[in-house]
Each structure stands twice: as structure tokens, then as C-alpha cells.
Amino acid sequence: VGGLLNFIIYILQDKNIIATQEATFFTTNIVLILALGLLIMDKLFFDFASLSKKAEAALRVKSQFLSMVSHEMRTPMNAIIGMTDLLAKTPLSKTQIEYLDSIQVSGNSLITIIDDILDITRIQEGKIRIEHKTFDLYALLKQIHRTFQKTIDDKAIQLELYIHPNVPQYIKSDPARI
């Protein structure tokens, strides 16, 4: 930088664009501007590094909080689902069976949401595990269809499951995340 600055000043003086006194003033100003620029860049870099560390710490705290809350929600939800499964094995009226089905579908939906929250936390922490196993895609689709059938019937909506013949029955993937 110093050599380039001297060269510019030499050219400016040689072409009689600036005098020696002006060249000194020009050089001093350029040096001050460069020094100020370096100080500002150093401050910005320090602030960025500090903010980056704070952001990483905040992300860790958020992930820990979501993980803890998800686990705390999962325990009572599993109890509710377990109790509804036990209740389903007792003699019930048609209306009670309908209510129980709604509770089971809602409970399973909440467990899925809780699992999704845990998955987000695991992804952010780099701890997500994707399974690669062969499973029956048709059976999974039929199960999903059955899960929503009661809600669909209650709302007088028609939902049909159609699986194109070119769709393979067995695929290798993560059945929980597909």
C-alpha cells in the first residue's frame, strides 16, 4: 500500500497536479483513512465474532428447552394413548367408540408433533438419524388413510386412496419421516 501511495503521489507531483505540501497533506489523510478503516474492520470483526458466539449459545439453549419440553409433553401423551388403548378393549357404546377414536387420532397427531419438535432439535444439533430400511409403502398409505377416515366421515368428505400401479409396494426409506 505504501509503495502504491508513493507512486500515486510521484505521478501527481510530476504532472504538477499537486505541490509537495499538498502531497504531504494528501499522504497524511490517506494514511489516517486507511488506519481508521482498519480499526473499523477490526471492531466489526470482533462484534461479529461476539454476536456469532452469542447466537450459537442462544441456539443451544433453545434446542435444550425444546428437547426438555417435548420430553415432558411426551410422557403424559403416552399415558393418554395407553389409557385409550385400554379403554378401547372394554365394552363401549357406538358413541363412546366414536369419541375414543377421536381421542386416539388426536393423541397420535400430538405425538407426531412432539416427535417433529424433537427432530428439529436433533437436526439443529446435527444428531438426526435417518433410517434406510425396506418397508411396505402400500401398508403405510392405507394406515394413514384409516387414521383420517373417521374425521373425513364426520365431515361428510370423501377421500379415496389410489395408488398408481407404477408405484412400488416396497421401498427403502425412513417410514417415520416419509
Side-chain angles (χ1 to χ4, degrees), residues 90-177:
T90 65
L92 300 170
S93 70
K94 183 178 179 183
T95 304
Q96 289 172 323
I97 291 171
E98 289 175 6
Y99 293 161
L100 188 61
D101 285 344
S102 292
I103 292 170
Q104 287 175 319
V105 167
S106 297
N108 288 327
S109 294
L110 284 172
I111 285 292
T112 301
I113 292 168
I114 292 167
D115 288 342
D116 290 346
I117 292 170
L118 286 171
D119 282 349
I120 290 169
T121 302
R122 288 183 195 120
I123 289 169
Q124 289 175 340
E125 294 174 352
K127 296 179 181 176
I128 190 76
R129 287 190 183 163
I130 305 294
E131 289 186 69
H132 295 286
K133 66 180 190 179
T134 302
F135 67 95
D136 187 341
L137 179 62
Y138 292 10
L140 178 64
L141 294 172
K142 289 174 186 173
Q143 177 188 3
I144 292 168
H145 186 260
R146 268 193 314 274
T147 301
F148 291 104
Q149 193 62 53
K150 173 72 175 96
T151 306
I152 291 165
D153 291 344
D154 290 345
K155 295 183 179 184
I157 299 172
Q158 185 176 356
L159 176 68
E160 293 182 19
L161 175 62
Y162 171 75
I163 303 171
H164 193 278
N166 291 343
V167 174
Q169 181 172 357
Y170 295 95
I171 63 171
K172 189 170 189 170
S173 184
D174 189 329
R177 289 179 180 82

